[in-house]
Amino acid sequence: MASSTARGSNGTVKLRADAARNRVQVLAAARTAFRELGTAAPLDEIARRAGVNIATLYRRFPDRDALIRQVVVDGFTLVLQAAQTALQSAEQDPLGAIEDYLLRVVDQRDLIVLPLAGGPVTDDPEANTLQGQIAATLDELIATARAKDTIRTDVTAVDLTITSALICRPMPYLSAEDATALVTRHARIFIDGLAPGTARSLPTAPPYEGITSHRLSQTT
């Protein structure tokens, strides 16, 4: 039987085109199934949605936990990339950079199936590292905006995290067009609420670790 992998010129192992395509299809099906059915979604149902047989799914992901881990890692990676991209323009336009972060997350929300957005939970070390990098990047983004007096002083990275999670939650009874319009509206309302000077005071935000600690309690 032909191998599903090949070794590149630099010695790294690469998936064959059809194997890579199968992997992408399985992950896409898993994201949809986890969003609709929860993490107990049958693996054979995920394979069916992906258009592959169950043996192909297990070849790429040996168990349910491996599939969950990859879905979560992929989601955190996209969030981190959005935060890093926003940070690059924060010196020139801090508020615009925060809006850019939120709207990038909105645009990719179908690919972001994470615990705070109703997705699966994992204690995978790579996922934990990505979460820490996201928190640090958002802290820097907020600090840059605060230093330029473009946002209220009591906003924290937790506010960005929770807002992005809320607007990424699925709205299954709306068309894709209506859902996109609504979440874009809410993102922009949130951005307008960041302006300093006229806002009411806020209760103290919990620490970032406080909103992610559910991962460990649910996986032990």
Side-chain angles (χ1 to χ4, degrees):
M1 187 173 79
S3 171
S4 63
T5 62
R7 192 166 295 277
S9 58
N10 61 356
T12 59
V13 175
K14 300 191 300 182
L15 292 176
R16 275 197 344 240
D18 58 340
R21 183 172 58 251
N22 288 342
R23 186 177 189 277
V24 169
Q25 291 172 182
V26 168
L27 287 169
R31 284 190 291 268
T32 302
F34 291 157
R35 191 181 291 114
E36 294 176 0
L37 306 173
T39 54
L43 295 184
D44 57 354
E45 170 63 12
I46 293 174
R48 185 192 66 78
R49 294 186 184 203
V52 303
N53 59 47
I54 192 67
T56 298
L57 184 151
Y58 278 119
R59 195 175 302 124
R60 301 275 69 85
F61 304 98
D63 55 36
R64 182 183 302 275
D65 286 345
L67 186 55
I68 288 172
R69 282 195 298 272
Q70 194 59 58
V71 166
V72 172
V73 165
D74 287 352
F76 281 136
T77 299
L78 289 173
V79 174
L80 178 59
Q81 289 170 348
Q84 291 172 332
T85 299
L87 185 59
Q88 291 173 3
S89 61
E91 283 291 338
Q92 291 72 39
D93 181 7
L95 206 55
I98 294 172
E99 181 174 6
D100 177 70
Y101 163 72
L102 288 176
L103 294 182
R104 281 178 184 272
V105 171
V106 165
D107 286 344
Q108 301 179 96
R109 66 188 183 281
D110 289 342
L111 302 175
I112 299 173
V113 184
L114 296 174
L116 285 176
V121 174
T122 179
D123 61 352
D124 178 68
E126 184 177 2
N128 295 344
T129 297
L130 286 166
Q131 279 195 295
Q133 292 172 333
I134 291 167
T137 305
L138 292 180
D139 276 337
E140 189 172 354
L141 180 59
I142 290 292
T144 300
R146 189 179 294 123
K148 292 182 176 294
D149 296 322
T150 58
I151 64 169
R152 50 193 294 169
T153 59
D154 52 0
V155 173
T156 72
V158 169
D159 297 309
L160 293 188
T161 300
I162 294 299
T163 298
S164 60
L166 290 174
I167 62 180
C168 281
R169 282 184 173 269
M171 291 183 277
Y173 302 110
L174 296 178
S175 68
E177 182 179 0
D178 286 346
T180 297
L182 281 173
V183 296
T184 302
R185 283 172 55 88
H186 293 166
R188 289 176 175 165
I189 290 170
F190 173 78
I191 292 298
D192 289 346
L194 295 180
T198 59
R200 291 177 292 175
S201 61
L202 299 174
T204 302
Y208 189 88
E209 294 77 9
I211 66 170
T212 58
S213 60
H214 67 284
R215 290 179 300 101
L216 296 180
S217 63
Q218 291 186 28
T219 54
T220 55

